[in-house]
Amino acid sequence: MRVVLMGPPGAGKGTQAERLVEKFGMTHLSSGDIFRAEKSSGSELGEKLAEIMARGELVPDDIVVEMMAKAITAVDGGLLLDGFPRTVAQAQSLDKTLDEAGSPLDAVVMITADDEAIVERITGRRSCPSTGKIYHVKYMAPKVEGICDETGEKLVQRDDDKEEVVRERLKNYKMQTEPVVAYYRDAGKVQVIEVNGMQTPDEVAAETVAALEAQGR
Ligand code: ADP
Ligand code: ADP
């Protein structure tokens, strides 16, 4: 199964990706994680990405498309794309990459969430520095405050998860990424499944899994 997971920043894409991978066993590719890994490598490209991401802006399409096409073509089998595509140009490029590989998308899952919930979710987000496991100080708190349940490491906060940057990311989402949903709906080649993200993570997961299973039949 090849699925694109969309939704505003903080809607719960990463959280749901963990659950979908467990359920369906596909490979999870998060563009944000790929860019953060490049950032940590200290390369020149990584430094450029860091500046763009810190401002809450989108990374230019040519860079995104090249890095994602490389990652996607290395995957054999099921695929869960998270955070990509985020512009219509990226969606067109993804279509081309998948058409060439003879493996089109099966579904686009769109997780919705209210603006105020988004700000609260993102400012309370923490993650494990080595595994990337996602927590929330209130909604998905670790057993011991500030410590990863699985690795015992100190949880970290992303430097772009500040309120002013979140508002900028949300603005860019509305301007540049919402049209991608319209692109998929208009093209009519793939089913767009809208899931209400304003439920508990388990409820969101159950709704998503049921819709994907129904779609696969
Ligand atoms: P979130 O979904 O919480 O906004 P991500 O980890 O997906 O966070 O993205 C973090 C940042 O990485 C974005 O604000 C943007 O700067 C950059 N980024 C990630 N994916 C893309 C993409 N497909 N196109 C352009 N920029 C991207
Ligand atoms: P995204 O990848 O879309 O940016 P995340 O999955 O990282 O979003 O979730 C953002 C924050 O909100 C995290 O701290 C996560 O623990 C929390 N979160 C995710 N889903 C829910 C939910 N359904 N209800 C409450 N908090 C949630």
Side-chain angles (χ1 to χ4, degrees), residues 5-216:
L5 202 49
M6 294 192 59
K13 300 181 293 296
T15 302
Q16 294 306 320
E18 277 178 24
R19 290 165 157 78
L20 292 174
V21 164
E22 217 168 272
K23 173 83 190 168
F24 297 112
M26 68 267 258
T27 301
H28 173 211
L29 287 183
S30 151
S31 48
D33 287 350
I34 290 172
F35 299 155
R36 279 184 288 278
E38 186 68 38
K39 202 173 115 178
S40 314
S41 79
S43 68
E44 210 174 300
L45 172 62
E47 277 175 31
K48 186 172 169 187
L49 295 178
E51 282 172 26
I52 298 168
M53 290 164 82
R55 290 196 295 266
E57 290 168 11
L58 290 188
V59 174
D61 284 336
D62 54 341
I63 300 180
V64 177
V65 159
E66 194 188 329
M67 290 177 76
M68 293 307 292
K70 202 166 132 200
I72 291 166
T73 45
V75 173
D76 205 14
L79 184 63
L80 181 63
L81 292 171
D82 159 10
F84 172 83
R86 254 179 163 97
T87 65
V88 171
Q90 291 178 21
Q92 286 166 335
S93 155
L94 174 64
D95 277 349
K96 196 162 159 268
T97 305
L98 294 177
D99 282 348
E100 279 167 10
S103 54
L105 289 174
D106 296 295
V108 172
V109 173
M110 162 74 191
I111 307 177
T112 60
D114 301 348
D115 289 3
E116 288 320 305
I118 284 169
V119 173
E120 197 194 0
R121 285 185 188 182
I122 292 216
T123 49
R125 170 162 58 191
R126 301 290 183 273
S127 57
C128 176
S130 61
T131 64
K133 188 170 170 57
I134 305 160
Y135 294 89
H136 188 278
V137 291
K138 185 161 141 199
Y139 302 117
M140 284 202 275
K143 292 194 186 88
V144 179
E145 194 186 322
I147 302 293
C148 178
D149 293 345
E150 291 169 359
T151 66
E153 285 177 70
K154 218 167 160 232
L155 299 178
V156 293
Q157 181 172 24
R158 269 168 50 179
D159 54 12
D160 59 342
D161 278 354
K162 301 183 197 91
E163 182 161 348
E164 65 276 19
V165 183
V166 175
R167 299 229 180 248
E168 181 66 23
R169 280 156 62 196
L170 201 47
K171 200 176 88 195
N172 290 330
Y173 175 81
K174 288 183 182 172
M175 267 179 348
Q176 293 171 277
T177 310
E178 275 183 358
V180 176
V181 182
Y183 166 84
Y184 282 123
R185 286 210 168 104
D186 293 348
K189 286 192 291 189
V190 60
Q191 197 194 345
V192 179
I193 298 167
E194 196 170 307
V195 176
N196 174 15
M198 298 301 294
Q199 315 178 74
T200 66
D202 286 347
E203 286 165 347
V204 178
E207 193 177 320
T208 309
V209 167
L212 286 173
E213 283 179 339
Q215 194 264 344

